[in-house]
PDB file of all heavy atoms in Angstrom:
ATOM      1  N   ASP A 422     -46.841  23.155  21.529  1.00  0.00           N
ATOM      2  CA  ASP A 422     -46.408  24.345  20.802  1.00  0.00           C
ATOM      3  C   ASP A 422     -45.864  23.955  19.438  1.00  0.00           C
ATOM      4  O   ASP A 422     -45.162  22.952  19.305  1.00  0.00           O
ATOM      5  CB  ASP A 422     -45.321  25.087  21.577  1.00  0.00           C
ATOM      6  CG  ASP A 422     -45.814  25.646  22.894  1.00  0.00           C
ATOM      7  OD1 ASP A 422     -46.553  26.650  22.853  1.00  0.00           O
ATOM      8  OD2 ASP A 422     -45.481  25.078  23.951  1.00  0.00           O
ATOM      9  N   SER A 423     -46.191  24.748  18.436  1.00  0.00           N
ATOM     10  CA  SER A 423     -45.610  24.559  17.112  1.00  0.00           C
ATOM     11  C   SER A 423     -45.533  25.909  16.421  1.00  0.00           C
ATOM     12  O   SER A 423     -46.324  26.829  16.714  1.00  0.00           O
ATOM     13  CB  SER A 423     -46.453  23.595  16.268  1.00  0.00           C
ATOM     14  OG  SER A 423     -47.637  24.222  15.800  1.00  0.00           O
ATOM     15  N   LEU A 424     -44.594  26.031  15.506  1.00  0.00           N
ATOM     16  CA  LEU A 424     -44.504  27.268  14.740  1.00  0.00           C
ATOM     17  C   LEU A 424     -45.700  27.414  13.801  1.00  0.00           C
ATOM     18  O   LEU A 424     -46.086  28.534  13.449  1.00  0.00           O
ATOM     19  CB  LEU A 424     -43.195  27.314  13.955  1.00  0.00           C
ATOM     20  CG  LEU A 424     -41.935  27.521  14.797  1.00  0.00           C
ATOM     21  CD1 LEU A 424     -40.706  27.639  13.898  1.00  0.00           C
ATOM     22  CD2 LEU A 424     -42.051  28.762  15.691  1.00  0.00           C
ATOM     23  N   PHE A 425     -46.296  26.300  13.389  1.00  0.00           N
ATOM     24  CA  PHE A 425     -47.544  26.370  12.617  1.00  0.00           C
ATOM     25  C   PHE A 425     -48.616  27.075  13.447  1.00  0.00           C
ATOM     26  O   PHE A 425     -49.265  28.020  12.973  1.00  0.00           O
ATOM     27  CB  PHE A 425     -47.997  24.954  12.252  1.00  0.00           C
ATOM     28  CG  PHE A 425     -49.265  24.898  11.436  1.00  0.00           C
ATOM     29  CD1 PHE A 425     -49.218  24.780  10.068  1.00  0.00           C
ATOM     30  CD2 PHE A 425     -50.520  24.951  12.050  1.00  0.00           C
ATOM     31  CE1 PHE A 425     -50.388  24.727   9.306  1.00  0.00           C
ATOM     32  CE2 PHE A 425     -51.681  24.901  11.312  1.00  0.00           C
ATOM     33  CZ  PHE A 425     -51.618  24.786   9.937  1.00  0.00           C
ATOM     34  N   PHE A 426     -48.812  26.650  14.666  1.00  0.00           N
ATOM     35  CA  PHE A 426     -49.828  27.246  15.534  1.00  0.00           C
ATOM     36  C   PHE A 426     -49.518  28.712  15.803  1.00  0.00           C
ATOM     37  O   PHE A 426     -50.416  29.569  15.794  1.00  0.00           O
ATOM     38  CB  PHE A 426     -49.892  26.467  16.854  1.00  0.00           C
ATOM     39  CG  PHE A 426     -50.956  26.957  17.796  1.00  0.00           C
ATOM     40  CD1 PHE A 426     -52.281  26.596  17.630  1.00  0.00           C
ATOM     41  CD2 PHE A 426     -50.627  27.791  18.862  1.00  0.00           C
ATOM     42  CE1 PHE A 426     -53.265  27.055  18.494  1.00  0.00           C
ATOM     43  CE2 PHE A 426     -51.605  28.249  19.736  1.00  0.00           C
ATOM     44  CZ  PHE A 426     -52.927  27.884  19.552  1.00  0.00           C
ATOM     45  N   GLU A 427     -48.266  29.014  16.018  1.00  0.00           N
ATOM     46  CA  GLU A 427     -47.868  30.405  16.282  1.00  0.00           C
ATOM     47  C   GLU A 427     -48.234  31.309  15.113  1.00  0.00           C
ATOM     48  O   GLU A 427     -48.645  32.449  15.299  1.00  0.00           O
ATOM     49  CB  GLU A 427     -46.366  30.467  16.553  1.00  0.00           C
ATOM     50  CG  GLU A 427     -45.838  31.859  16.873  1.00  0.00           C
ATOM     51  CD  GLU A 427     -46.313  32.385  18.217  1.00  0.00           C
ATOM     52  OE1 GLU A 427     -46.683  31.575  19.085  1.00  0.00           O
ATOM     53  OE2 GLU A 427     -46.316  33.618  18.398  1.00  0.00           O
ATOM     54  N   THR A 428     -48.104  30.794  13.900  1.00  0.00           N
ATOM     55  CA  THR A 428     -48.377  31.590  12.699  1.00  0.00           C
ATOM     56  C   THR A 428     -49.802  32.134  12.677  1.00  0.00           C
ATOM     57  O   THR A 428     -50.042  33.270  12.249  1.00  0.00           O
ATOM     58  CB  THR A 428     -48.147  30.734  11.437  1.00  0.00           C
ATOM     59  OG1 THR A 428     -46.808  30.249  11.427  1.00  0.00           O
ATOM     60  CG2 THR A 428     -48.417  31.538  10.167  1.00  0.00           C
ATOM     61  N   PHE A 429     -50.773  31.331  13.157  1.00  0.00           N
ATOM     62  CA  PHE A 429     -52.179  31.667  12.989  1.00  0.00           C
ATOM     63  C   PHE A 429     -52.872  32.161  14.265  1.00  0.00           C
ATOM     64  O   PHE A 429     -54.071  32.454  14.219  1.00  0.00           O
ATOM     65  CB  PHE A 429     -52.944  30.440  12.475  1.00  0.00           C
ATOM     66  CG  PHE A 429     -52.471  29.943  11.146  1.00  0.00           C
ATOM     67  CD1 PHE A 429     -51.675  28.814  11.051  1.00  0.00           C
ATOM     68  CD2 PHE A 429     -52.809  30.605   9.978  1.00  0.00           C
ATOM     69  CE1 PHE A 429     -51.231  28.349   9.826  1.00  0.00           C
ATOM     70  CE2 PHE A 429     -52.375  30.160   8.746  1.00  0.00           C
ATOM     71  CZ  PHE A 429     -51.574  29.021   8.673  1.00  0.00           C
ATOM     72  N   ASN A 430     -52.158  32.249  15.378  1.00  0.00           N
ATOM     73  CA  ASN A 430     -52.879  32.468  16.630  1.00  0.00           C
ATOM     74  C   ASN A 430     -52.308  33.537  17.548  1.00  0.00           C
ATOM     75  O   ASN A 430     -52.660  33.586  18.726  1.00  0.00           O
ATOM     76  CB  ASN A 430     -52.974  31.131  17.385  1.00  0.00           C
ATOM     77  CG  ASN A 430     -53.879  30.154  16.680  1.00  0.00           C
ATOM     78  OD1 ASN A 430     -55.096  30.268  16.709  1.00  0.00           O
ATOM     79  ND2 ASN A 430     -53.268  29.182  16.003  1.00  0.00           N
ATOM     80  N   ARG A 431     -51.460  34.402  17.034  1.00  0.00           N
ATOM     81  CA  ARG A 431     -50.956  35.474  17.880  1.00  0.00           C
ATOM     82  C   ARG A 431     -52.101  36.399  18.295  1.00  0.00           C
ATOM     83  O   ARG A 431     -53.137  36.485  17.627  1.00  0.00           O
ATOM     84  CB  ARG A 431     -49.848  36.260  17.160  1.00  0.00           C
ATOM     85  CG  ARG A 431     -50.305  37.005  15.940  1.00  0.00           C
ATOM     86  CD  ARG A 431     -49.209  37.901  15.359  1.00  0.00           C
ATOM     87  NE  ARG A 431     -49.691  38.525  14.132  1.00  0.00           N
ATOM     88  CZ  ARG A 431     -49.353  38.155  12.908  1.00  0.00           C
ATOM     89  NH1 ARG A 431     -48.500  37.156  12.738  1.00  0.00           N
ATOM     90  NH2 ARG A 431     -49.858  38.760  11.847  1.00  0.00           N
ATOM     91  N   ASN A 432     -51.903  37.074  19.385  1.00  0.00           N
ATOM     92  CA  ASN A 432     -52.855  38.077  19.900  1.00  0.00           C
ATOM     93  C   ASN A 432     -54.190  37.488  20.348  1.00  0.00           C
ATOM     94  O   ASN A 432     -55.155  38.226  20.559  1.00  0.00           O
ATOM     95  CB  ASN A 432     -53.109  39.187  18.879  1.00  0.00           C
ATOM     96  CG  ASN A 432     -51.946  40.157  18.779  1.00  0.00           C
ATOM     97  OD1 ASN A 432     -51.119  40.238  19.688  1.00  0.00           O
ATOM     98  ND2 ASN A 432     -51.864  40.886  17.687  1.00  0.00           N
ATOM     99  N   LYS A 433     -54.269  36.160  20.510  1.00  0.00           N
ATOM    100  CA  LYS A 433     -55.520  35.543  20.940  1.00  0.00           C
ATOM    101  C   LYS A 433     -55.416  35.060  22.387  1.00  0.00           C
ATOM    102  O   LYS A 433     -54.329  34.993  22.968  1.00  0.00           O
ATOM    103  CB  LYS A 433     -55.867  34.363  20.027  1.00  0.00           C
ATOM    104  CG  LYS A 433     -56.049  34.749  18.558  1.00  0.00           C
ATOM    105  CD  LYS A 433     -56.382  33.553  17.704  1.00  0.00           C
ATOM    106  CE  LYS A 433     -56.434  33.917  16.225  1.00  0.00           C
ATOM    107  NZ  LYS A 433     -56.749  32.745  15.371  1.00  0.00           N
ATOM    108  N   LYS A 434     -56.559  34.717  22.957  1.00  0.00           N
ATOM    109  CA  LYS A 434     -56.632  34.108  24.278  1.00  0.00           C
ATOM    110  C   LYS A 434     -57.097  32.664  24.119  1.00  0.00           C
ATOM    111  O   LYS A 434     -57.675  32.303  23.088  1.00  0.00           O
ATOM    112  CB  LYS A 434     -57.601  34.882  25.175  1.00  0.00           C
ATOM    113  CG  LYS A 434     -57.189  36.331  25.419  1.00  0.00           C
ATOM    114  CD  LYS A 434     -58.209  37.071  26.268  1.00  0.00           C
ATOM    115  CE  LYS A 434     -57.775  38.517  26.504  1.00  0.00           C
ATOM    116  NZ  LYS A 434     -58.772  39.274  27.315  1.00  0.00           N
ATOM    117  N   SER A 435     -56.840  31.843  25.137  1.00  0.00           N
ATOM    118  CA  SER A 435     -57.234  30.441  25.049  1.00  0.00           C
ATOM    119  C   SER A 435     -57.954  30.005  26.314  1.00  0.00           C
ATOM    120  O   SER A 435     -57.538  30.339  27.429  1.00  0.00           O
ATOM    121  CB  SER A 435     -56.005  29.549  24.832  1.00  0.00           C
ATOM    122  OG  SER A 435     -56.368  28.172  24.912  1.00  0.00           O
ATOM    123  N   LEU A 436     -59.052  29.247  26.099  1.00  0.00           N
ATOM    124  CA  LEU A 436     -59.802  28.649  27.193  1.00  0.00           C
ATOM    125  C   LEU A 436     -60.098  27.203  26.843  1.00  0.00           C
ATOM    126  O   LEU A 436     -60.700  26.923  25.808  1.00  0.00           O
ATOM    127  CB  LEU A 436     -61.121  29.398  27.414  1.00  0.00           C
ATOM    128  CG  LEU A 436     -62.075  28.805  28.458  1.00  0.00           C
ATOM    129  CD1 LEU A 436     -61.473  28.902  29.860  1.00  0.00           C
ATOM    130  CD2 LEU A 436     -63.434  29.494  28.401  1.00  0.00           C
ATOM    131  N   SER A 437     -59.653  26.262  27.682  1.00  0.00           N
ATOM    132  CA  SER A 437     -60.022  24.861  27.503  1.00  0.00           C
ATOM    133  C   SER A 437     -61.439  24.662  28.014  1.00  0.00           C
ATOM    134  O   SER A 437     -61.730  24.960  29.180  1.00  0.00           O
ATOM    135  CB  SER A 437     -59.048  23.950  28.266  1.00  0.00           C
ATOM    136  OG  SER A 437     -57.791  23.921  27.633  1.00  0.00           O
ATOM    137  N   LEU A 438     -62.314  24.169  27.147  1.00  0.00           N
ATOM    138  CA  LEU A 438     -63.716  24.036  27.527  1.00  0.00           C
ATOM    139  C   LEU A 438     -64.315  22.839  26.798  1.00  0.00           C
ATOM    140  O   LEU A 438     -64.241  22.745  25.567  1.00  0.00           O
ATOM    141  CB  LEU A 438     -64.478  25.310  27.154  1.00  0.00           C
ATOM    142  CG  LEU A 438     -65.923  25.431  27.635  1.00  0.00           C
ATOM    143  CD1 LEU A 438     -65.991  25.411  29.159  1.00  0.00           C
ATOM    144  CD2 LEU A 438     -66.553  26.713  27.087  1.00  0.00           C
ATOM    145  N   ASP A 439     -64.900  21.935  27.558  1.00  0.00           N
ATOM    146  CA  ASP A 439     -65.509  20.732  26.997  1.00  0.00           C
ATOM    147  C   ASP A 439     -66.990  20.989  26.739  1.00  0.00           C
ATOM    148  O   ASP A 439     -67.827  20.942  27.644  1.00  0.00           O
ATOM    149  CB  ASP A 439     -65.324  19.557  27.966  1.00  0.00           C
ATOM    150  CG  ASP A 439     -65.783  18.232  27.364  1.00  0.00           C
ATOM    151  OD1 ASP A 439     -66.431  18.255  26.303  1.00  0.00           O
ATOM    152  OD2 ASP A 439     -65.489  17.189  27.967  1.00  0.00           O
ATOM    153  N   LEU A 440     -67.312  21.253  25.479  1.00  0.00           N
ATOM    154  CA  LEU A 440     -68.686  21.589  25.110  1.00  0.00           C
ATOM    155  C   LEU A 440     -69.608  20.386  25.108  1.00  0.00           C
ATOM    156  O   LEU A 440     -70.822  20.535  24.969  1.00  0.00           O
ATOM    157  CB  LEU A 440     -68.705  22.258  23.730  1.00  0.00           C
ATOM    158  CG  LEU A 440     -67.961  23.590  23.620  1.00  0.00           C
ATOM    159  CD1 LEU A 440     -68.054  24.134  22.202  1.00  0.00           C
ATOM    160  CD2 LEU A 440     -68.514  24.603  24.613  1.00  0.00           C
ATOM    161  N   SER A 441     -69.048  19.188  25.274  1.00  0.00           N
ATOM    162  CA  SER A 441     -69.897  17.994  25.313  1.00  0.00           C
ATOM    163  C   SER A 441     -70.530  17.785  26.684  1.00  0.00           C
ATOM    164  O   SER A 441     -71.422  16.949  26.829  1.00  0.00           O
ATOM    165  CB  SER A 441     -69.076  16.752  24.938  1.00  0.00           C
ATOM    166  OG  SER A 441     -68.159  16.418  25.970  1.00  0.00           O
ATOM    167  N   THR A 442     -70.090  18.543  27.672  1.00  0.00           N
ATOM    168  CA  THR A 442     -70.641  18.409  29.026  1.00  0.00           C
ATOM    169  C   THR A 442     -71.685  19.484  29.283  1.00  0.00           C
ATOM    170  O   THR A 442     -71.633  20.581  28.699  1.00  0.00           O
ATOM    171  CB  THR A 442     -69.529  18.529  30.082  1.00  0.00           C
ATOM    172  OG1 THR A 442     -68.986  19.862  30.056  1.00  0.00           O
ATOM    173  CG2 THR A 442     -68.409  17.530  29.821  1.00  0.00           C
ATOM    174  N   ALA A 443     -72.608  19.195  30.156  1.00  0.00           N
ATOM    175  CA  ALA A 443     -73.621  20.186  30.529  1.00  0.00           C
ATOM    176  C   ALA A 443     -72.968  21.399  31.178  1.00  0.00           C
ATOM    177  O   ALA A 443     -73.383  22.545  30.945  1.00  0.00           O
ATOM    178  CB  ALA A 443     -74.638  19.555  31.474  1.00  0.00           C
ATOM    179  N   ALA A 444     -71.946  21.160  31.992  1.00  0.00           N
ATOM    180  CA  ALA A 444     -71.267  22.266  32.654  1.00  0.00           C
ATOM    181  C   ALA A 444     -70.536  23.145  31.637  1.00  0.00           C
ATOM    182  O   ALA A 444     -70.540  24.380  31.741  1.00  0.00           O
ATOM    183  CB  ALA A 444     -70.279  21.728  33.687  1.00  0.00           C
ATOM    184  N   GLY A 445     -69.914  22.509  30.639  1.00  0.00           N
ATOM    185  CA  GLY A 445     -69.254  23.277  29.585  1.00  0.00           C
ATOM    186  C   GLY A 445     -70.246  24.106  28.799  1.00  0.00           C
ATOM    187  O   GLY A 445     -69.960  25.244  28.403  1.00  0.00           O
ATOM    188  N   ARG A 446     -71.444  23.549  28.586  1.00  0.00           N
ATOM    189  CA  ARG A 446     -72.490  24.291  27.888  1.00  0.00           C
ATOM    190  C   ARG A 446     -72.905  25.521  28.684  1.00  0.00           C
ATOM    191  O   ARG A 446     -73.123  26.596  28.112  1.00  0.00           O
ATOM    192  CB  ARG A 446     -73.700  23.383  27.659  1.00  0.00           C
ATOM    193  CG  ARG A 446     -74.863  24.051  26.928  1.00  0.00           C
ATOM    194  CD  ARG A 446     -74.502  24.343  25.486  1.00  0.00           C
ATOM    195  NE  ARG A 446     -75.540  25.110  24.806  1.00  0.00           N
ATOM    196  CZ  ARG A 446     -75.529  25.397  23.500  1.00  0.00           C
ATOM    197  NH1 ARG A 446     -74.522  24.982  22.748  1.00  0.00           N
ATOM    198  NH2 ARG A 446     -76.497  26.088  22.951  1.00  0.00           N
ATOM    199  N   GLU A 447     -72.972  25.401  29.979  1.00  0.00           N
ATOM    200  CA  GLU A 447     -73.327  26.546  30.815  1.00  0.00           C
ATOM    201  C   GLU A 447     -72.304  27.668  30.656  1.00  0.00           C
ATOM    202  O   GLU A 447     -72.667  28.852  30.579  1.00  0.00           O
ATOM    203  CB  GLU A 447     -73.415  26.118  32.282  1.00  0.00           C
ATOM    204  CG  GLU A 447     -74.590  25.198  32.593  1.00  0.00           C
ATOM    205  CD  GLU A 447     -74.585  24.725  34.038  1.00  0.00           C
ATOM    206  OE1 GLU A 447     -73.953  25.411  34.879  1.00  0.00           O
ATOM    207  OE2 GLU A 447     -75.198  23.676  34.331  1.00  0.00           O
ATOM    208  N   VAL A 448     -71.034  27.308  30.601  1.00  0.00           N
ATOM    209  CA  VAL A 448     -69.985  28.323  30.468  1.00  0.00           C
ATOM    210  C   VAL A 448     -70.072  29.012  29.108  1.00  0.00           C
ATOM    211  O   VAL A 448     -70.007  30.244  29.017  1.00  0.00           O
ATOM    212  CB  VAL A 448     -68.595  27.699  30.671  1.00  0.00           C
ATOM    213  CG1 VAL A 448     -67.502  28.740  30.403  1.00  0.00           C
ATOM    214  CG2 VAL A 448     -68.453  27.142  32.079  1.00  0.00           C
ATOM    215  N   ILE A 449     -70.220  28.239  28.033  1.00  0.00           N
ATOM    216  CA  ILE A 449     -70.268  28.859  26.705  1.00  0.00           C
ATOM    217  C   ILE A 449     -71.495  29.757  26.596  1.00  0.00           C
ATOM    218  O   ILE A 449     -71.445  30.824  25.965  1.00  0.00           O
ATOM    219  CB  ILE A 449     -70.233  27.804  25.581  1.00  0.00           C
ATOM    220  CG1 ILE A 449     -69.895  28.464  24.235  1.00  0.00           C
ATOM    221  CG2 ILE A 449     -71.535  27.050  25.455  1.00  0.00           C
ATOM    222  CD1 ILE A 449     -68.499  28.943  24.113  1.00  0.00           C
ATOM    223  N   GLU A 450     -72.602  29.373  27.233  1.00  0.00           N
ATOM    224  CA  GLU A 450     -73.787  30.232  27.172  1.00  0.00           C
ATOM    225  C   GLU A 450     -73.558  31.534  27.937  1.00  0.00           C
ATOM    226  O   GLU A 450     -74.010  32.602  27.493  1.00  0.00           O
ATOM    227  CB  GLU A 450     -75.002  29.468  27.707  1.00  0.00           C
ATOM    228  CG  GLU A 450     -75.452  28.355  26.772  1.00  0.00           C
ATOM    229  CD  GLU A 450     -76.789  27.753  27.152  1.00  0.00           C
ATOM    230  OE1 GLU A 450     -77.340  28.120  28.224  1.00  0.00           O
ATOM    231  OE2 GLU A 450     -77.303  26.912  26.376  1.00  0.00           O
ATOM    232  N   ASP A 451     -72.851  31.465  29.057  1.00  0.00           N
ATOM    233  CA  ASP A 451     -72.527  32.707  29.768  1.00  0.00           C
ATOM    234  C   ASP A 451     -71.611  33.592  28.931  1.00  0.00           C
ATOM    235  O   ASP A 451     -71.744  34.821  28.927  1.00  0.00           O
ATOM    236  CB  ASP A 451     -71.846  32.380  31.106  1.00  0.00           C
ATOM    237  CG  ASP A 451     -72.836  31.893  32.161  1.00  0.00           C
ATOM    238  OD1 ASP A 451     -74.054  32.096  31.971  1.00  0.00           O
ATOM    239  OD2 ASP A 451     -72.382  31.305  33.163  1.00  0.00           O
ATOM    240  N   LEU A 452     -70.693  32.977  28.193  1.00  0.00           N
ATOM    241  CA  LEU A 452     -69.808  33.752  27.318  1.00  0.00           C
ATOM    242  C   LEU A 452     -70.574  34.373  26.152  1.00  0.00           C
ATOM    243  O   LEU A 452     -70.297  35.503  25.739  1.00  0.00           O
ATOM    244  CB  LEU A 452     -68.681  32.859  26.792  1.00  0.00           C
ATOM    245  CG  LEU A 452     -67.584  32.510  27.796  1.00  0.00           C
ATOM    246  CD1 LEU A 452     -66.688  31.396  27.260  1.00  0.00           C
ATOM    247  CD2 LEU A 452     -66.742  33.742  28.135  1.00  0.00           C
ATOM    248  N   VAL A 453     -71.550  33.645  25.620  1.00  0.00           N
ATOM    249  CA  VAL A 453     -72.358  34.183  24.522  1.00  0.00           C
ATOM    250  C   VAL A 453     -73.085  35.450  24.968  1.00  0.00           C
ATOM    251  O   VAL A 453     -73.228  36.409  24.200  1.00  0.00           O
ATOM    252  CB  VAL A 453     -73.363  33.120  24.018  1.00  0.00           C
ATOM    253  CG1 VAL A 453     -74.427  33.754  23.114  1.00  0.00           C
ATOM    254  CG2 VAL A 453     -72.627  32.012  23.275  1.00  0.00           C
TER     255      VAL A 453
END
């Protein structure tokens, strides 16, 4: 956490996702 991050990211959601993996690619494609 940082006040810098808070400044630019209110009202957003967060998902940790590793796009370098095939499984991560499957998730991002479903989100697209």
Side-chain angles (χ1 to χ4, degrees):
D422 295 286
S423 75
L424 289 184
F425 181 97
F426 183 80
E427 181 69 22
T428 302
F429 299 103
N430 291 285
R431 65 173 176 257
N432 285 340
K433 300 180 185 179
K434 298 178 180 179
S435 173
L436 175 67
S437 288
L438 188 62
D439 187 349
L440 297 180
S441 71
T442 66
R446 180 69 186 186
E447 291 176 22
V448 175
I449 196 70
E450 290 190 354
D451 284 344
L452 286 168
V453 167

